[in-house]
Amino acid sequence: MKRIYLDHAATTPTAPEVAQAMLPYLSGVYGNASSLHSFGLEARTAVEEARARIASFMGAKPEEIVFTSGGTESDNFIIKGFALSRRNKGNHIITSSIEHHAVLETCKFLQGQGFSVTYLPVDENGLVNPDDVKKAITAETILISVMHGNNEIGTIEPIAEIGAVAREHGVAFHSDAVQTFGHIPIDVNDLQVDFLSVSAHKLYGPKGIGLTYVRNGMKIIPLLHGGDQERRRRASTLNIPGIVGFGRAVELAGSDMRAELSRQSVLRDRLASGLLSAVEDSRLNGHPIRRLPNNVNISFAFVEGEGLLLNLDMEGIAVSTGSACTSSSLEPSHVLAAIGLPVELAHGSLRFSLGRDTTQQDIERVLQVMPGIVYRLRAMSPLARKGATA
Ligand SMILES: *Cc1c(COP(=O)(O)O)cnc(C)c1O
């Protein structure tokens, strides 16, 4: 049985070209990029090539890129580092209620340190209203953080509009672009952001490497103190194989992003409309149009997402539930709660996230097995008064 991976929002497979590019840097080329000898120079050259390529891909300058260990570190670095550097200017941060936990938990931590945080609501499609951002700004506001593409429901936020509001009020603006970078076009000047978080493993790069975009002139206190790597913004010996792989992943994204964007959007829409018409009492979550090209999030009434996930897994199909914050928690997703989805529906939600390797046949196979799984589970479920008779 061919296994079908539809969980690219959790992580993507490392592209073979990426692994190939990394290989020499896992053994032969092992210098420390800070060393002055020729071994160091080899490593440094590879890092700076990758940095220049990645920077130009997002309209940034090479010195505005700080390599980190991934999206979580980048979110922590920007929010904590910037809040601490502006402590004497104000203590208020604005974010949204549908951010990734790397942002939400960091904001909660800062609340414990005396900062005050506004969590903006979203509409039923998951959109943040730029006017709400404007109204939330006070004389104390130092930072606004709103994600670019939501990892659960796929909604793409109006980042350029929020960026314009932030600029107009002289407030710094961060966006978590982990789900969008390499998938939809990003230019830091068009988006009017001061900070961006990116992670390589969400775009076919290796795990454990990411970056922070820090606009020139923005001061930020490091999380990691020690050596003077990354212009003293992040101490620690650079992850050369990771950075080289990240650079190659960005090069690949540059060559196929636009084609994949339209190819995956077609498959996404086929999957969503196919499921909605084949399964009664189902609904699409997230914005119908302003959404990631690879995201389908659907609630199936009268069933548990975990049951659906495990039954799909037995068919070799890997998806994710939208029903739990983490697999070990029974709390409904904060994102589905924020769009006003009733708890029962949130518990029956699945996220299908497509990728470069997803084919039309994969989608047809999901459409073939999914209705049977839902109706079988509904027939056994005490929740399924209606579903059982369908
Ligand atoms: C995956 C993800 C992260 C975390 O990135 P890591 O590199 O896994 O730490 C942060 N934000 C969003 C939106 C994500 O999807």
Side-chain angles (χ1 to χ4, degrees):
M1 180 172 60
K2 186 203 170 195
R3 290 199 300 164
I4 298 174
Y5 184 75
L6 292 176
D7 203 11
H8 292 81
T11 194
T12 55
T14 308
E17 296 91 335
V18 167
Q20 196 68 37
M22 291 171 72
L23 270 180
Y25 297 89
L26 290 166
S27 56
V29 187
Y30 52 80
N32 181 322
S34 302
S35 301
L36 296 178
H37 44 62
S38 65
F39 293 79
L41 180 63
E42 275 176 335
R44 200 152 60 242
T45 304
V47 167
E48 295 316 321
E49 262 179 41
R51 193 192 306 276
R53 169 171 296 137
I54 297 168
S56 96
F57 186 68
M58 59 169 105
K61 302 181 187 77
E63 71 271 17
E64 295 176 313
I65 305 298
V66 179
F67 287 113
T68 65
S69 64
T72 300
E73 183 186 327
S74 291
D75 288 340
N76 273 263
F77 172 41
I78 295 155
I79 298 171
K80 288 179 197 164
F82 191 72
L84 286 179
S85 79
R86 286 297 168 99
R87 186 151 226 178
N88 55 347
K89 302 270 188 339
N91 75 340
H92 181 229
I93 297 168
I94 298 171
T95 187
S96 86
S97 47
I98 62 164
E99 297 297 309
H100 189 273
H101 285 116
V103 167
L104 290 179
E105 293 297 318
T106 301
C107 286
K108 264 197 225 160
F109 167 80
L110 287 175
Q111 283 179 285
Q113 305 295 309
F115 287 88
S116 109
V117 181
T118 300
Y119 299 90
L120 294 174
V122 293
D123 72 8
E124 68 278 11
N125 292 324
L127 281 179
V128 173
N129 184 341
D131 273 343
D132 289 346
V133 177
K134 188 183 241 168
K135 285 183 207 134
I137 295 174
T138 71
E140 289 288 310
T141 309
I142 50 175
L143 179 67
I144 297 166
S145 178
V146 176
M147 73 199 314
H148 193 196
N150 183 270
N151 48 301
E152 287 188 42
I153 58 173
T155 299
I156 296 174
E157 299 298 338
I159 295 305
E161 288 84 342
I162 298 171
V165 169
R167 283 247 168 112
E168 187 190 321
H169 291 81
V171 177
F173 181 37
H174 163 240
S175 185
D176 176 332
V178 173
Q179 288 290 333
T180 48
F181 190 78
H183 299 279
I184 65 175
I186 288 186
D187 181 292
V188 292
N189 296 313
D190 292 348
L191 292 182
Q192 310 207 43
V193 290
D194 299 303
F195 305 111
L196 212 62
S197 303
V198 174
S199 180
H201 76 96
K202 303 281 174 85
L203 63 137
Y204 308 92
K207 293 168 182 54
I209 185 78
L211 67 82
T212 306
Y213 161 76
V214 181
R215 187 174 289 281
N216 272 339
M218 301 304 285
K219 288 256 172 345
I220 183 161
I221 290 176
L223 280 185
L224 301 185
H225 296 91
D228 57 8
Q229 290 91 355
E230 298 298 81
R231 297 171 171 252
R232 313 192 116 243
R233 292 171 296 188
R234 185 191 190 261
S236 184
T237 301
L238 291 180
N239 172 358
I240 313 290
I243 291 168
V244 168
F246 193 179
R248 187 76 178 103
V250 167
E251 194 179 5
L252 293 173
S255 68
D256 77 357
M257 182 172 70
R258 282 168 199 277
E260 278 300 309
L261 202 168
S262 47
R263 193 189 71 90
Q264 289 182 35
S265 302
V266 170
L267 295 180
R268 171 198 68 189
D269 294 343
R270 163 81 186 130
L271 178 60
S273 62
L275 288 173
L276 294 176
S277 62
V279 182
E280 268 183 46
D281 297 306
S282 56
R283 58 156 277 165
L284 180 73
N285 298 312
H287 199 283
I289 299 153
R290 285 189 62 106
R291 71 186 298 134
L292 295 171
N294 70 339
N295 174 291
V296 174
N297 186 307
I298 293 198
S299 295
F300 301 94
F302 317 118
V303 280
E304 292 288 333
E306 282 75 15
L308 296 173
L309 182 150
L310 294 175
N311 276 271
L312 281 169
D313 193 38
M314 285 190 268
E315 299 284 345
I317 300 167
V319 303
S320 152
T321 56
S323 67
C325 294
T326 67
S327 50
S328 58
S329 153
L330 282 178
E331 283 285 296
S333 142
H334 65 286
V335 177
L336 297 178
I339 61 172
L341 202 67
V343 178
E344 317 84 73
L345 275 179
H347 276 303
S349 303
L350 285 187
R351 177 187 69 188
F352 305 81
S353 45
L354 287 54
R356 222 179 237 161
D357 49 342
T358 307
T359 63
Q360 172 87 38
Q361 291 90 294
D362 294 343
I363 299 304
E364 298 309 325
R365 170 132 173 77
V366 175
L367 291 175
Q368 194 189 4
V369 302
M370 196 68 208
I373 292 175
V374 176
Y375 287 120
R376 200 164 66 242
L377 288 181
R378 280 182 182 171
M380 299 186 306
S381 162
L383 303 168
R385 298 171 313 280
K386 183 164 181 207
T389 60

PDB file of all heavy atoms in Angstrom, residues 23-39:
ATOM      1  N   LEU A  23      25.464  17.007   2.412  1.00  0.00           N
ATOM      2  CA  LEU A  23      26.408  15.906   2.671  1.00  0.00           C
ATOM      3  C   LEU A  23      27.865  16.325   2.863  1.00  0.00           C
ATOM      4  O   LEU A  23      28.485  15.930   3.856  1.00  0.00           O
ATOM      5  CB  LEU A  23      26.306  14.849   1.566  1.00  0.00           C
ATOM      6  CG  LEU A  23      25.286  13.734   1.818  1.00  0.00           C
ATOM      7  CD1 LEU A  23      25.273  12.756   0.644  1.00  0.00           C
ATOM      8  CD2 LEU A  23      25.595  13.011   3.130  1.00  0.00           C
ATOM      9  N   PRO A  24      28.426  17.120   1.958  1.00  0.00           N
ATOM     10  CA  PRO A  24      29.841  17.472   2.135  1.00  0.00           C
ATOM     11  C   PRO A  24      30.102  18.192   3.457  1.00  0.00           C
ATOM     12  O   PRO A  24      31.191  18.081   4.028  1.00  0.00           O
ATOM     13  CB  PRO A  24      30.125  18.424   0.960  1.00  0.00           C
ATOM     14  CG  PRO A  24      29.031  18.218  -0.013  1.00  0.00           C
ATOM     15  CD  PRO A  24      27.850  17.718   0.744  1.00  0.00           C
ATOM     16  N   TYR A  25      29.084  18.910   3.946  1.00  0.00           N
ATOM     17  CA  TYR A  25      29.259  19.708   5.168  1.00  0.00           C
ATOM     18  C   TYR A  25      29.013  18.897   6.437  1.00  0.00           C
ATOM     19  O   TYR A  25      29.135  19.393   7.541  1.00  0.00           O
ATOM     20  CB  TYR A  25      28.354  20.948   5.114  1.00  0.00           C
ATOM     21  CG  TYR A  25      28.752  21.842   3.966  1.00  0.00           C
ATOM     22  CD1 TYR A  25      28.201  21.681   2.699  1.00  0.00           C
ATOM     23  CD2 TYR A  25      29.750  22.796   4.135  1.00  0.00           C
ATOM     24  CE1 TYR A  25      28.607  22.460   1.632  1.00  0.00           C
ATOM     25  CE2 TYR A  25      30.164  23.580   3.080  1.00  0.00           C
ATOM     26  CZ  TYR A  25      29.598  23.412   1.825  1.00  0.00           C
ATOM     27  OH  TYR A  25      30.011  24.183   0.781  1.00  0.00           O
ATOM     28  N   LEU A  26      28.641  17.623   6.242  1.00  0.00           N
ATOM     29  CA  LEU A  26      28.481  16.735   7.394  1.00  0.00           C
ATOM     30  C   LEU A  26      29.777  15.987   7.673  1.00  0.00           C
ATOM     31  O   LEU A  26      29.938  15.380   8.720  1.00  0.00           O
ATOM     32  CB  LEU A  26      27.339  15.732   7.148  1.00  0.00           C
ATOM     33  CG  LEU A  26      25.936  16.341   7.136  1.00  0.00           C
ATOM     34  CD1 LEU A  26      24.923  15.360   6.557  1.00  0.00           C
ATOM     35  CD2 LEU A  26      25.519  16.756   8.543  1.00  0.00           C
ATOM     36  N   SER A  27      30.692  15.979   6.685  1.00  0.00           N
ATOM     37  CA  SER A  27      31.950  15.273   6.953  1.00  0.00           C
ATOM     38  C   SER A  27      33.164  16.055   6.447  1.00  0.00           C
ATOM     39  O   SER A  27      33.927  16.600   7.237  1.00  0.00           O
ATOM     40  CB  SER A  27      31.908  13.870   6.345  1.00  0.00           C
ATOM     41  OG  SER A  27      31.624  13.940   4.968  1.00  0.00           O
ATOM     42  N   GLY A  28      33.301  16.178   5.129  1.00  0.00           N
ATOM     43  CA  GLY A  28      34.520  16.771   4.574  1.00  0.00           C
ATOM     44  C   GLY A  28      34.788  18.207   5.005  1.00  0.00           C
ATOM     45  O   GLY A  28      35.894  18.562   5.407  1.00  0.00           O
ATOM     46  N   VAL A  29      33.775  19.037   4.909  1.00  0.00           N
ATOM     47  CA  VAL A  29      33.940  20.451   5.255  1.00  0.00           C
ATOM     48  C   VAL A  29      33.403  20.649   6.666  1.00  0.00           C
ATOM     49  O   VAL A  29      32.207  20.672   6.882  1.00  0.00           O
ATOM     50  CB  VAL A  29      33.170  21.360   4.267  1.00  0.00           C
ATOM     51  CG1 VAL A  29      33.498  22.830   4.526  1.00  0.00           C
ATOM     52  CG2 VAL A  29      33.483  20.989   2.827  1.00  0.00           C
ATOM     53  N   TYR A  30      34.308  20.751   7.626  1.00  0.00           N
ATOM     54  CA  TYR A  30      33.857  20.756   9.017  1.00  0.00           C
ATOM     55  C   TYR A  30      34.349  21.953   9.813  1.00  0.00           C
ATOM     56  O   TYR A  30      34.191  22.023  11.027  1.00  0.00           O
ATOM     57  CB  TYR A  30      34.314  19.465   9.712  1.00  0.00           C
ATOM     58  CG  TYR A  30      35.796  19.197   9.563  1.00  0.00           C
ATOM     59  CD1 TYR A  30      36.706  19.855  10.384  1.00  0.00           C
ATOM     60  CD2 TYR A  30      36.275  18.335   8.583  1.00  0.00           C
ATOM     61  CE1 TYR A  30      38.069  19.649  10.230  1.00  0.00           C
ATOM     62  CE2 TYR A  30      37.628  18.127   8.424  1.00  0.00           C
ATOM     63  CZ  TYR A  30      38.518  18.788   9.244  1.00  0.00           C
ATOM     64  OH  TYR A  30      39.859  18.593   9.084  1.00  0.00           O
ATOM     65  N   GLY A  31      34.947  22.928   9.122  1.00  0.00           N
ATOM     66  CA  GLY A  31      35.498  24.074   9.845  1.00  0.00           C
ATOM     67  C   GLY A  31      34.431  24.851  10.617  1.00  0.00           C
ATOM     68  O   GLY A  31      33.236  24.749  10.328  1.00  0.00           O
ATOM     69  N   ASN A  32      34.906  25.611  11.593  1.00  0.00           N
ATOM     70  CA  ASN A  32      34.036  26.517  12.352  1.00  0.00           C
ATOM     71  C   ASN A  32      34.037  27.852  11.604  1.00  0.00           C
ATOM     72  O   ASN A  32      35.093  28.421  11.336  1.00  0.00           O
ATOM     73  CB  ASN A  32      34.608  26.682  13.773  1.00  0.00           C
ATOM     74  CG  ASN A  32      33.764  27.588  14.639  1.00  0.00           C
ATOM     75  OD1 ASN A  32      33.218  28.585  14.190  1.00  0.00           O
ATOM     76  ND2 ASN A  32      33.674  27.234  15.908  1.00  0.00           N
ATOM     77  N   ALA A  33      32.842  28.343  11.269  1.00  0.00           N
ATOM     78  CA  ALA A  33      32.754  29.545  10.432  1.00  0.00           C
ATOM     79  C   ALA A  33      33.429  30.764  11.069  1.00  0.00           C
ATOM     80  O   ALA A  33      33.675  31.754  10.390  1.00  0.00           O
ATOM     81  CB  ALA A  33      31.288  29.847  10.100  1.00  0.00           C
ATOM     82  N   SER A  34      33.719  30.701  12.362  1.00  0.00           N
ATOM     83  CA  SER A  34      34.383  31.838  13.014  1.00  0.00           C
ATOM     84  C   SER A  34      35.906  31.745  12.943  1.00  0.00           C
ATOM     85  O   SER A  34      36.592  32.709  13.305  1.00  0.00           O
ATOM     86  CB  SER A  34      33.974  31.925  14.488  1.00  0.00           C
ATOM     87  OG  SER A  34      32.584  32.049  14.602  1.00  0.00           O
ATOM     88  N   SER A  35      36.442  30.585  12.513  1.00  0.00           N
ATOM     89  CA  SER A  35      37.903  30.415  12.511  1.00  0.00           C
ATOM     90  C   SER A  35      38.549  31.201  11.380  1.00  0.00           C
ATOM     91  O   SER A  35      37.974  31.361  10.299  1.00  0.00           O
ATOM     92  CB  SER A  35      38.262  28.928  12.359  1.00  0.00           C
ATOM     93  OG  SER A  35      37.707  28.187  13.419  1.00  0.00           O
ATOM     94  N   LEU A  36      39.780  31.658  11.629  1.00  0.00           N
ATOM     95  CA  LEU A  36      40.450  32.512  10.648  1.00  0.00           C
ATOM     96  C   LEU A  36      41.181  31.723   9.562  1.00  0.00           C
ATOM     97  O   LEU A  36      41.514  32.256   8.520  1.00  0.00           O
ATOM     98  CB  LEU A  36      41.445  33.430  11.374  1.00  0.00           C
ATOM     99  CG  LEU A  36      40.765  34.420  12.335  1.00  0.00           C
ATOM    100  CD1 LEU A  36      41.810  35.267  13.069  1.00  0.00           C
ATOM    101  CD2 LEU A  36      39.774  35.314  11.601  1.00  0.00           C
ATOM    102  N   HIS A  37      41.434  30.416   9.796  1.00  0.00           N
ATOM    103  CA  HIS A  37      42.177  29.624   8.808  1.00  0.00           C
ATOM    104  C   HIS A  37      41.299  29.209   7.631  1.00  0.00           C
ATOM    105  O   HIS A  37      40.102  29.530   7.596  1.00  0.00           O
ATOM    106  CB  HIS A  37      42.813  28.402   9.479  1.00  0.00           C
ATOM    107  CG  HIS A  37      41.892  27.679  10.422  1.00  0.00           C
ATOM    108  ND1 HIS A  37      40.734  27.101  10.003  1.00  0.00           N
ATOM    109  CD2 HIS A  37      41.985  27.472  11.754  1.00  0.00           C
ATOM    110  CE1 HIS A  37      40.131  26.542  11.029  1.00  0.00           C
ATOM    111  NE2 HIS A  37      40.867  26.770  12.126  1.00  0.00           N
ATOM    112  N   SER A  38      41.896  28.462   6.696  1.00  0.00           N
ATOM    113  CA  SER A  38      41.180  28.118   5.467  1.00  0.00           C
ATOM    114  C   SER A  38      39.979  27.209   5.729  1.00  0.00           C
ATOM    115  O   SER A  38      38.990  27.265   5.014  1.00  0.00           O
ATOM    116  CB  SER A  38      42.140  27.456   4.470  1.00  0.00           C
ATOM    117  OG  SER A  38      42.587  26.217   4.984  1.00  0.00           O
ATOM    118  N   PHE A  39      40.041  26.378   6.784  1.00  0.00           N
ATOM    119  CA  PHE A  39      38.894  25.515   7.107  1.00  0.00           C
ATOM    120  C   PHE A  39      37.691  26.387   7.501  1.00  0.00           C
ATOM    121  O   PHE A  39      36.552  26.142   7.098  1.00  0.00           O
ATOM    122  CB  PHE A  39      39.236  24.575   8.281  1.00  0.00           C
ATOM    123  CG  PHE A  39      40.285  23.558   7.951  1.00  0.00           C
ATOM    124  CD1 PHE A  39      41.641  23.898   7.942  1.00  0.00           C
ATOM    125  CD2 PHE A  39      39.932  22.247   7.646  1.00  0.00           C
ATOM    126  CE1 PHE A  39      42.604  22.960   7.633  1.00  0.00           C
ATOM    127  CE2 PHE A  39      40.894  21.297   7.343  1.00  0.00           C
ATOM    128  CZ  PHE A  39      42.241  21.662   7.331  1.00  0.00           C
TER     129      PHE A  39
END
